[in-house]
Amino acid sequence: MNISENICPACQTKNELHAIVCEHCGATLDDPFIDSAYKTRTAALEEPLTPEKISAWLTEEVTELTVPDSGVAFYVDGHSMPAYIDSQPEFVLGRSAGPTSEMLLDFAPFGGYSLGLSRRHALIRRTANGYEVMDLGSVNGTWLDEEKLVPHQPRSLLSGSHLRLGRMRIFVLYKPFASG
């Protein structure tokens, strides 16, 4: 079997061969390497996000969102404990693939592979007023508050923002920086 295209069933956009969500519309793509008789289909992400839907992401074990004194907390849909990183000038969100020289916040334990995270999916960089996020050319895309990011173009990441990396949904919290 020789597969050469991965066409979105919703918008007909041609995507990279191993993409699992459409780069244009975000629809779930068929995996051309798996016989469709053996697939389990899942529902697409709900749109748009509301505070009620965000709170539903968090399991019942979470009674209060914790905002760290320094650094950033990433609350992943369906997980009670956040992924946390202390104040770093910049770090990558992705999946660990062995030793690396860069600071990586590894989302593999949160189902990163099955949710379409690239090994180097997005970069978070500290700025004078907070943080910014930049998609690193990931196969399955990065969304900030439901707006798809253009790869390699930084966008301001406010505390309380929602990120979507592939199909992984994340709620971002950090304390505001002191003006000065």
Side-chain angles (χ1 to χ4, degrees), residues 5 9 12 19-20 27 49-50 55-56 58-59 80 82 85 99 110 116 120 135 152 173 175:
E5 294 184 328
Q12 305 306 310
I20 60 172
L49 291 175
T50 62
S55 65
L58 307 172
T59 63
S80 61
I85 192 158
F110 295 92
R120 298 184 75 249
D135 181 84
H152 308 291
L173 287 176
K175 287 196 175 170

Side-chain angles (χ1 to χ4, degrees), residues 147-167:
E147 184 177 330
K148 188 168 196 265
L149 299 183
V150 175
H152 308 291
Q153 292 187 9
R155 294 278 309 277
S156 181
L157 179 65
L158 303 174
S159 184
S161 293
H162 318 116
L163 281 177
R164 189 173 82 188
L165 310 176
R167 291 190 317 243

Side-chain angles (χ1 to χ4, degrees), residues 16-38:
E16 290 189 33
L17 202 51
H18 293 286
I20 60 172
V21 294
C22 178
E23 68 181 33
H24 178 71
C25 71
T28 302
L29 298 174
D30 291 329
D31 185 340
F33 298 104
I34 296 178
D35 184 346
S36 60
Y38 295 100

